[in-house]
């Protein structure tokens, strides 16, 4: 007997009780669809969280002085920065870069004080690297002729009741260890989509820092956007990182995932988590499959007994039942993938508006509109998982079929 | 030749032991057309099950062409049944999702026939049982008599040494029964195929050339016509 005959019998057998088979198929379709959509939501959430972090602050690679990475001291600036800049300008892997002064200080106004991270930037170059300028919800992004202006996050503005043009004082320890205070006016308020970032980071012009701290000679941070950057750590980023490191051994060159370790870790964990999640969902589904197949075997006890009587070997009986079970999932999978693809394709453009839980999402570092996406390997891998689960589900009914006594099943020979 | 040697089969029913077949010694030569008859519970079906290797005897032997098949392992028995015995069941037991032709070919597929030979043989068998024009119909599209004719063709498909038929006419009307018996009788005479029936049906008994009567598991009468 060849497998094609077994496959043919298995295929036809699943349509003997159309209603029952369709119920199982539908449950597999919905189970896989639900799993894929949940996977897509999780991946999108995580991906948007990383995108937000990279686009608003991290960039693909950052350079610091090694000492600055340890102490965050104002005096630990990047040395020989002109040479480094020349190298960056010549390197065709570099799309854009910026230079930042980073100061940990205390922002105060009449309402209160709050610890902040002050990022001294050149607005023109920073706009090529990060997108905070597109997130301005009130005021402007350093369009004023004034030097001492500041752009703050919405959360911080709400916390300290900051209005446009209101004055704030930044107090911090200068290069010599003395406390220095600088006065700024609020020029703009941004909302990046990451509540924690908006709560803690403020932007000022480099020029305002250097003019007030003459002892500060250089920058603390160079964020770099690469031509092939993004949330996936790639070989280009890695090679650039290694080459930059070779320029000067006092440099600390790190990719975004080394700086925001928690984001990278969450990204790595997500894949495993999703497969475990799907395994649990589909395991539940497998009980439905087992039940259906047991019923089918019970109905066809006589027929299976006959097959055994006329000489069908146990392995063929076993395979026949397995094929039937797997066919149920093979019918379901294309439908499931199709509706998943259509759903994700639609929401990848129009987005899912989750503004009802917007504040929670912002705290998580994600905007309120989710643009669904799902890597193609998830379609493939989760389909394989369904086939695997249904194959495993077929074992028990198949074993039950083998236990049929042909004499009893056929009542007589 | 089919032989049974002191064949016994005992079933347990609660604390009772029921002797379904009790020390049966029987010889059925090649080409016989034999009916095993007797009242319900006399052990007809059990005897056929033991001869067909579907049931293990409690003691004694079943010998087919000098081979003691009752000592075969399960795997050997499956293979033996496939290549040597044709079965005809009371309720036909055709596979509902396959056509008449495919039901016949199923046995040949198990035996490893090539497609061409299988096609030829299944067509010939359908022709022999007068079902050529219904080869593509599924069992649900056939009458009981037609299904049983397909079942006979299926039983013949493996070129068996003998055919065991348990109450093959029990579900058939007289016209279908007559036709089926004509076919089986013709195959028996023309191709020397051995048929062994268990039956209550007087029409079958009338056509049989040997009638073995069982009662309480024992042969009480053995008449060759």
């Amino acid at each position: 007997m060849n497998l094609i005959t077994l496959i043919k019998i298995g295929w036809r057998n699943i349509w003997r009780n159309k209603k029952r088979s369709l119920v199982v198929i539908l449950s597999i379709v919905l189970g896989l669809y639900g799993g894929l959509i949940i996977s897509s939501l999780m991946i999108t959430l995580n991906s948007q969280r990383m995108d937000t972090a990279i686009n608003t602050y991290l960039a693909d690679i950052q350079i610091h002085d090694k000492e600055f990475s340890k102490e965050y001291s104002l005096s630990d600036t990047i040395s020989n920065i002109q040479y480094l800049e020349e190298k960056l300008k010549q390197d065709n892997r570099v799309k854009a870069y910026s230079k930042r002064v980073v100061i940990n200080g205390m922002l105060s106004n009449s309402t209160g004080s709050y610890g902040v991270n002050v990022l001294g930037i050149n607005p023109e170059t920073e706009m090529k690297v990060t997108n905070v300028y597109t997130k301005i919800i009130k005021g402007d992004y350093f369009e004023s002729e004034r030097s001492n202006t500041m752009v703050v996050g919405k959360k911080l503005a709400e916390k300290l009741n900051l209005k446009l043009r209101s004055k704030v004082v930044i107090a911090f320890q200068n290069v010599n260890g003395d406390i220095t205070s600088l006065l700024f006016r609020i020029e703009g308020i941004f909302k990046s989509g990451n509540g924690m970032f908006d709560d803690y980071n403020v932007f000022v012009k480099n020029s305002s820092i250097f003019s007030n701290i003459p002892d500060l000679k250089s920058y603390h941070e160079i964020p770099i956007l690469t031509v092939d950057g993004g949330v996936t750590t790639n070989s280009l980023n890695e090679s650039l990182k290694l080459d930059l490191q070779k320029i000067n051994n006092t440099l600390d060159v790190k990719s975004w995932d080394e700086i925001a370790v928690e984001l990278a870790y969450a990204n790595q964990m997500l894949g495993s988590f999703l497969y475990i999640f799907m395994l649990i969902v589909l395991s539940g589904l497998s009980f439905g499959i087992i039940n259906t197949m047991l019923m089918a075997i019970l109905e066809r006890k006589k027929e299976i007994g006959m097959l055994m009587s006329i000489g069908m070997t146990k392995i063929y009986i076993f395979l026949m039942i397995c094929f039937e079970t797997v066919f149920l999932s093979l019918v379901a999978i294309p439908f499931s993938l199709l509706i998943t693809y259509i759903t994700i394709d639609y929401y990848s453009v129009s987005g899912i508006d989750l503004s009802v839980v917007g504040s929670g999402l912002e705290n998580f570092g994600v905007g309120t509109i989710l643009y669904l996406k799902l890597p193609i390997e998830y379609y493939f891998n989760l389909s394989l998982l369904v086939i695997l689960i249904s194959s495993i589900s077929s074992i028990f009914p198949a074993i039950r079929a083998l236990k049929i006594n042909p004499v009893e099943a056929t009542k007589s020979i | 030749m089919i032989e049974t040697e002191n064949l016994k089969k005992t079933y347990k029913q609660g604390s009772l032991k029921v002797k379904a077949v009790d020390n049966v010694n029987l010889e059925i030569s090649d080409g016989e057309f034999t009916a095993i008859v007797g009242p319900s519970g006399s052990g007809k079906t059990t005897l056929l099950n033991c001869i067909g290797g579907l049931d293990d005897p409690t003691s004694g032997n079943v010998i087919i062409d000098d081979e003691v098949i009752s000592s075969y392992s399960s795997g050997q028995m499956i293979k033996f049944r496939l290549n040597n015995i044709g079965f005809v069941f009371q309720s036909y037991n055709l596979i509902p999702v396959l056509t008449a032709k495919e039901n016949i070919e199923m046995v040949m597929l198990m035996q490893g026939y090539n497609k061409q030979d299988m096609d030829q043989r299944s067509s010939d068998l359908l022709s022999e049982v007068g079902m050529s024009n219904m080869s593509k119909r599924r069992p649900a599209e056939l009458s009981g008599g037609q299904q049983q004719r397909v079942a006979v063709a299926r039983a013949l498909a493996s070129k068996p040494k003998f055919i065991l038929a348990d109450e093959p006419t029990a579900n058939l009307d007289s016209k279908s029964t007559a036709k089926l018996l004509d076919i089986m009788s013709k195959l028996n005479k023309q191709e020397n195929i051995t048929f062994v029936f268990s039956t209550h049906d007087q029409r079958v008994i009338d056509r049989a050339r040997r009638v073995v009567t069982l009662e309480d598991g024992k042969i009480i009468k053995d008449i060759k016509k």
Side-chain angles (χ1 to χ4, degrees):
Chain A
M1 181 169 218
N2 59 18
L3 285 177
I4 292 168
T5 307
L6 274 184
I7 289 168
K8 195 194 256 181
I9 295 171
W11 173 254
R12 289 182 184 176
N13 274 338
I14 65 169
W15 300 113
R16 285 165 77 165
N17 190 330
K18 286 191 183 72
K19 246 185 215 169
R20 192 174 56 206
S21 293
L22 285 173
V23 166
V24 179
I25 288 166
L26 189 67
S27 64
I28 297 172
V29 168
L30 292 178
L32 183 57
Y33 174 71
L36 286 167
I37 293 296
I38 292 285
S39 301
S40 172
L41 273 170
M42 299 290 284
I43 286 167
T44 306
L45 273 171
N46 203 49
S47 171
Q48 281 190 212
R49 188 179 175 214
M50 290 189 294
D51 277 338
T52 304
I54 290 170
N55 294 335
T56 53
Y57 174 63
L58 284 173
D60 295 318
I61 291 172
Q62 285 190 6
I63 303 174
H64 300 96
D65 181 81
K66 272 184 181 165
E67 292 305 312
F68 180 83
S69 298
K70 290 176 194 166
E71 300 285 339
Y72 289 92
S73 168
L74 207 58
S75 56
D76 296 325
T77 54
I78 296 167
S79 55
N80 204 1
I81 201 159
Q82 290 79 8
Y83 179 68
L84 186 58
E85 276 194 80
E86 272 173 37
K87 288 282 181 191
L88 289 173
K89 279 173 190 165
Q90 287 164 11
D91 200 316
N92 55 14
R93 291 167 295 185
V94 176
K95 192 176 174 185
Y97 71 93
S98 180
K99 293 178 287 183
R100 293 173 183 160
V101 172
V102 182
I103 303 170
N104 282 307
M106 186 68 75
L107 186 144
S108 308
N109 72 347
S110 54
T111 307
S113 301
Y114 200 74
V116 292
N117 188 44
V118 182
L119 296 167
I121 56 163
N122 175 345
E124 281 175 19
T125 55
E126 187 68 23
M127 282 164 77
K128 290 175 185 166
V129 179
T130 56
N131 68 356
V132 174
Y133 71 98
T134 63
K135 310 283 182 182
I136 297 293
I137 53 168
K138 272 185 192 169
D140 299 313
Y141 185 76
F142 300 113
E143 285 176 13
S144 166
E145 292 298 318
R146 289 170 180 266
S147 59
N148 282 23
T149 60
M150 177 182 278
V151 172
V152 299
K154 186 185 171 224
K155 270 211 155 183
L156 183 67
E158 284 170 353
K159 201 172 273 181
L160 292 176
N161 196 25
L162 300 174
K163 310 281 181 206
L164 291 178
R165 288 178 295 281
S166 63
K167 290 176 188 171
V168 292
V169 173
I170 295 279
F172 57 93
Q173 206 172 27
N174 69 16
V175 191
N176 305 316
D178 301 325
I179 299 294
T180 304
S181 295
L182 300 177
L183 180 73
F184 289 92
R185 271 182 193 276
I186 304 298
E187 188 186 346
I189 297 172
F190 66 87
K191 185 184 170 191
S192 70
N194 181 344
M196 283 168 74
F197 181 80
D198 296 358
D199 192 29
Y200 184 60
N201 292 280
V202 299
F203 291 89
V204 298
K205 288 179 192 167
N206 273 332
S207 52
S208 62
I209 302 275
F210 285 115
S211 61
N212 287 296
I213 316 170
D215 294 335
L216 185 65
K217 301 295 180 196
S218 184
Y219 296 86
H220 301 110
E221 187 169 277
I222 299 180
I224 301 164
L225 205 61
T226 62
V227 289
D228 195 19
V231 293
T232 48
T233 311
N234 54 53
S235 54
L236 184 138
N237 282 6
E238 284 302 303
S239 69
L240 177 62
K241 204 180 84 178
L242 288 171
D243 291 344
L244 291 172
Q245 188 65 70
K246 285 175 195 163
I247 293 172
N248 185 341
N249 63 6
T250 63
L251 296 178
D252 182 27
V253 187
K254 282 181 176 163
S255 54
W256 71 267
D257 53 322
E258 290 170 308
I259 301 161
V261 182
E262 77 289 350
L263 285 181
Y265 185 63
N267 194 35
Q268 284 171 5
M269 285 293 292
L270 184 69
S272 316
F273 167 77
L274 286 176
Y275 285 116
I276 292 167
F277 171 77
M278 279 306 292
L279 202 62
I280 293 166
V281 169
L282 294 175
S283 297
L285 204 62
S286 70
F287 288 103
I289 298 173
I290 290 171
N291 189 40
T292 302
M293 288 313 296
L294 285 175
M295 283 169 68
I297 286 163
L298 194 71
E299 270 180 11
R300 284 158 46 205
K301 201 172 169 182
K302 208 169 187 180
E303 183 185 313
I304 293 167
M306 177 277 294
L307 288 170
M308 288 172 157
S309 301
I310 64 172
M312 187 182 255
T313 56
K314 287 189 171 183
I315 185 71
Y316 284 132
I317 301 272
F318 187 89
L319 285 175
M320 186 177 75
I321 303 299
C322 291
F323 283 144
E324 285 178 36
T325 318
V326 173
F327 282 147
L328 288 171
S329 59
L330 286 180
V331 172
I333 286 169
F335 288 105
S336 206
L337 296 186
L338 183 69
I339 56 171
T340 306
Y341 179 79
I342 291 169
T343 308
I344 290 176
D345 190 52
Y346 177 76
Y347 284 111
S348 68
V349 179
S350 66
I352 300 175
D353 187 357
L354 293 177
S355 48
V356 280
V357 288
S359 58
L361 286 174
E362 275 179 24
N363 287 333
F364 186 64
V366 181
T368 52
I369 308 276
L370 287 186
Y371 296 95
L372 289 188
K373 60 178 175 182
L374 187 65
I376 197 79
E377 65 261 26
Y378 275 84
Y379 289 94
F380 184 71
N381 291 346
L382 292 181
S383 299
L384 276 183
L385 194 63
V386 170
I387 294 171
L388 179 73
I389 293 278
S390 57
S391 302
I392 293 168
S393 305
S394 71
I395 293 172
F396 181 61
I399 289 172
R400 283 295 291 268
L402 294 184
K403 285 182 179 167
I404 288 174
N405 180 334
V407 175
E408 285 172 13
T410 54
K411 295 267 173 32
S412 57
I413 49 171
Chain B
M1 179 187 271
I2 305 165
E3 292 170 75
T4 66
E5 204 175 72
N6 303 322
L7 194 71
K8 284 185 183 176
K9 179 69 187 179
T10 309
Y11 289 113
K12 273 188 180 177
Q13 276 185 347
S15 57
L16 283 176
K17 279 189 178 177
V18 179
K19 287 180 181 174
V21 175
D22 189 9
N23 209 30
V24 167
N25 289 289
L26 182 68
E27 282 186 13
I28 299 170
S29 304
D30 291 346
E32 280 195 23
F33 202 70
T34 302
I36 298 172
V37 302
S40 291
S42 60
K44 307 184 292 289
T45 297
T46 308
L47 179 60
L48 281 195
N49 285 341
C50 289
I51 292 171
L54 293 172
D55 219 348
D56 294 326
T58 309
S59 66
N61 293 315
V62 176
I63 304 158
I64 312 281
D65 291 343
D66 301 325
E67 292 239 21
V68 183
I69 66 156
S70 45
S71 63
Y72 279 4
S73 67
S74 165
Q76 283 175 310
M77 190 55 87
I78 288 171
K79 204 172 173 186
F80 182 83
R81 280 204 301 267
L82 176 63
N83 295 314
N84 297 284
I85 310 174
F87 292 93
V88 178
F89 304 92
Q90 181 181 332
S91 50
Y92 332 126
N93 286 344
L94 297 175
I95 298 176
V97 293
L98 299 181
T99 62
K101 194 166 188 284
E102 287 168 337
N103 262 287
I104 297 166
E105 288 176 348
M106 176 111 186
V107 181
M108 291 184 269
L109 277 167
M110 290 187 213
Q111 287 180 305
Y113 269 66
N114 67 45
K115 196 177 180 328
Q116 202 179 355
D117 291 350
M118 195 166 63
D119 193 51
Q120 183 62 50
R121 181 154 176 76
S122 59
S123 298
D124 290 348
L125 288 168
L126 279 166
S127 169
E128 279 190 70
V129 296
M131 293 288 293
S132 292
N133 55 342
M134 296 183 186
S135 64
K136 287 183 179 168
R137 291 198 188 177
R138 291 194 184 182
E141 297 162 331
L142 300 172
S143 70
Q146 289 167 337
Q147 285 189 57
Q148 197 62 301
R149 279 191 270 156
V150 174
V152 170
R154 180 182 64 188
L156 289 165
S158 63
K159 295 185 180 168
K161 286 179 179 161
F162 55 95
I163 287 177
L164 300 177
D166 182 54
E167 308 268 8
T169 58
N171 294 339
L172 303 182
D173 58 32
S174 45
K175 202 176 164 189
S176 299
T177 299
K179 184 143 195 175
L180 186 74
L181 286 171
D182 286 344
I183 289 164
M184 291 200 282
S185 185
K186 187 181 84 182
L187 289 164
N188 169 252
K189 282 174 186 161
Q190 289 179 356
E191 298 183 27
N192 202 34
I193 295 166
T194 310
F195 278 86
V196 183
F197 306 92
S198 80
T199 188
H200 282 106
D201 192 336
Q202 192 57 47
R203 294 165 298 188
V204 179
I205 297 166
D206 291 344
R207 300 280 287 266
R209 293 202 300 279
R210 182 181 176 189
V211 179
V212 178
T213 309
L214 285 182
E215 201 173 283
D216 297 329
K218 289 179 178 169
I219 296 175
I220 57 160
K221 220 189 280 177
D222 188 349
I223 300 168
K224 288 183 182 173
K225 294 178 186 171

